Amino acid sequence: MGTLSLRNVRKSFGNVDVIKGVDLDVEDGEFIIFVGPSGCGKSTLLRMIAGLEDTSSGTIEIDGAVVNAKPPNERGIAMVFQTYALYPHLTVRGNMSLGLKQAGRPKSVIEERVAVAARMLSLEEYLERRPAELSGGQRQRVAIGRAVVRQPKLFLFDEPLSNLDAALRVNTRLEIAALHRQLGSTMVYVTHDQVEAMTLADRIVVLNAGVIEQVGSPMELYNDPANKFVAGFIGSPQMNFVDAGLVGIKDAETAGLRPEHITLASSGGRLGGEISHIEHLGGETNIYVNCADAGLVGVRMFGEHAFEVGSRHELVIDDSRIFRFDAEGKRIRLSK
Ligand SMILES: Nc1ncnc2c1ncn2[C@@H]1O[C@H](COP(=O)(O)OP(=O)(O)OP(=O)(O)O)[C@@H](O)[C@H]1O
Ligand SMILES: [Mg+2]
């Protein structure tokens, strides 16, 4: 089992409040991802769950037991950091075994667990190498393996992929997804990469300046954001925000238009302007149109398109997909 409950959890460094009252229930086996801008408190919250950081007030429960006063090694957790923090003088096998050795586990158990983890993470042929003889991706897999062999109730990951190059990041992301499927363990994972969050999470926790803005499945956050912050954070390119009046909406302050819900046309659009910039990504094309009142509006189209910078277009918007926000940025949901 590996449930986690946070009850009104707070953290201050001196007189600076960093975590400002977080409540969260994580189910056994769930993959939970904390996302949010740099400095919003993701790592601090994770370190508090791990016991590497004191909790100023509130309670943290793992499997129903309050762990606030327990040191990290008594919490049943294993943490994987952005920097792999491997011992350079130990082999891969040595690094993966160390925690279990220190805990006095029998040699046969250690060997068995290391063998299973090495197979799972495709590290079998590297077991006798030292970290300096491995690529970044392999080192990170060793760090993950070191966590796996401990069979924790809770895996904690702090941006494990951000030191890897783009291709390796995708591969390792798929491996972590496969690992979660195989182990069925509870995982709490911090990233500022929304693609990682969308592709890995059962539920995403969107943090902003020490408070939770919204918790939901990736598609809940995409289709039903609670406010402008979440709407702007989930989705790439970002949602466009324009004065609601410009797109014919009277009962809201701001209209949110996802780039993929806008098409370019020669007439019939509520907004229009000149193309100021185009990003050709092959599979998709992002077009930025400078509209007089609405400012720069991003449009995302599938496939390749040969539009020219400087050419004039109108923007046709799917009205049924416009998001409405009030003056405070809170979402106004239409009653069905
Ligand atoms: N030991 C500390 N003393 C004082 N302030 C701290 C300490 N550790 C973190 N902070 C502050 O707490 C806030 C949250 O930091 P944290 O590392 O949790 O952010 P983060 O969301 O993980 O950001 P990033 O995406 O950049 O890693 C920041 O403003 C940071 O400066
Ligand atoms: Mg961090």
Side-chain angles (χ1 to χ4, degrees):
M1 285 287 286
T3 61
L4 169 70
S5 297
L6 307 181
R7 295 269 172 272
N8 197 14
V9 164
R10 290 170 189 273
K11 174 75 182 176
S12 312
F13 290 108
N15 55 6
V16 182
D17 299 333
V18 172
I19 301 295
K20 301 168 190 168
V22 163
D23 288 284
L24 182 70
D25 285 292
V26 178
E27 282 173 33
D28 183 43
E30 250 193 313
F31 201 137
I32 288 283
I33 296 200
F34 296 166
V35 287
S38 186
C40 70
K42 304 180 293 297
S43 296
T44 302
L45 192 54
L46 199 73
R47 291 170 58 80
M48 290 161 72
I49 296 167
L52 298 171
E53 205 78 75
D54 289 341
T55 298
S56 303
S57 69
T59 55
I60 298 176
E61 288 178 23
I62 295 175
D63 268 353
V66 175
V67 297
N68 287 47
K70 284 192 180 172
N73 63 0
E74 290 174 20
R75 293 189 179 198
I77 55 108
M79 189 152 166
V80 179
F81 300 89
Q82 175 178 348
T83 51
Y84 327 115
L86 300 175
Y87 291 101
H89 59 288
L90 294 180
T91 60
V92 168
R93 184 191 300 282
N95 270 284
M96 284 167 67
S97 311
L98 187 65
L100 296 177
K101 258 190 202 153
Q102 287 171 340
R105 306 303 299 259
K107 209 168 166 221
S108 59
V109 170
I110 298 175
E111 276 173 12
E112 165 69 14
R113 289 198 193 173
V114 169
V116 170
R119 200 175 319 132
M120 221 177 246
L121 294 158
S122 309
L123 286 169
E124 285 164 304
E125 52 185 299
Y126 307 110
L127 281 171
E128 308 315 324
R129 289 203 201 170
R130 290 177 211 283
E133 299 160 333
L134 300 174
S135 72
Q138 290 159 349
R139 283 179 213 173
Q140 192 52 292
R141 294 213 298 273
V142 177
I144 294 170
R146 193 174 45 182
V148 168
V149 297
R150 298 179 56 190
Q151 302 185 343
K153 294 176 187 166
L154 208 57
F155 281 88
L156 306 176
F157 294 90
D158 193 353
E159 308 222 25
L161 308 186
S162 52
N163 278 0
L164 307 181
D165 70 36
L168 210 48
R169 206 177 303 173
V170 173
N171 280 342
T172 316
R173 191 171 85 208
L174 294 173
E175 272 165 15
I176 290 177
L179 190 71
H180 180 244
R181 270 196 306 278
Q182 283 177 49
L183 297 174
S185 324
T186 313
M187 297 188 171
V188 182
Y189 185 110
V190 164
T191 179
H192 59 256
D193 182 327
Q194 56 132 331
V195 175
E196 244 168 79
M198 296 295 276
T199 52
L200 285 173
D202 292 316
R203 285 189 302 154
I204 297 174
V205 176
V206 182
L207 281 171
N208 180 22
V211 298
I212 293 181
E213 294 278 355
Q214 190 172 2
V215 182
S217 71
M219 285 307 114
E220 276 164 6
L221 298 189
Y222 177 83
N223 289 314
D224 194 19
N227 53 45
K228 259 175 88 174
F229 183 86
V230 174
F233 199 81
I234 303 291
S236 173
Q238 238 207 347
M239 182 184 280
N240 300 288
F241 296 109
V242 305
D243 285 347
L246 294 175
V247 292
I249 292 173
K250 292 184 190 70
D251 56 357
E253 177 83 8
T254 306
L257 317 171
R258 289 213 184 270
E260 51 273 38
H261 299 154
I262 306 174
T263 47
L264 298 190
S266 52
S267 65
R270 285 214 177 83
L271 301 173
E274 278 184 7
I275 295 181
S276 70
H277 184 65
I278 304 183
E279 294 169 344
H280 296 286
L281 301 173
E284 60 190 76
T285 308
N286 297 327
I287 302 150
Y288 298 89
V289 180
N290 207 349
C291 301
D293 302 331
L296 204 62
V297 174
V299 179
R300 179 174 176 214
M301 296 174 83
F302 193 68
E304 298 173 40
H305 296 272
F307 293 111
E308 286 189 11
V309 170
S311 60
R312 261 202 80 81
H313 299 269
E314 297 208 357
L315 303 184
V316 176
I317 299 150
D318 180 349
D319 281 353
S320 70
R321 311 195 83 159
I322 296 178
F323 293 84
R324 292 161 162 77
F325 301 96
D326 69 14
E328 272 73 55
K330 201 167 160 280
R331 171 94 180 285
I332 303 170
R333 292 183 169 90
L334 296 178
S335 47
K336 292 191 186 107

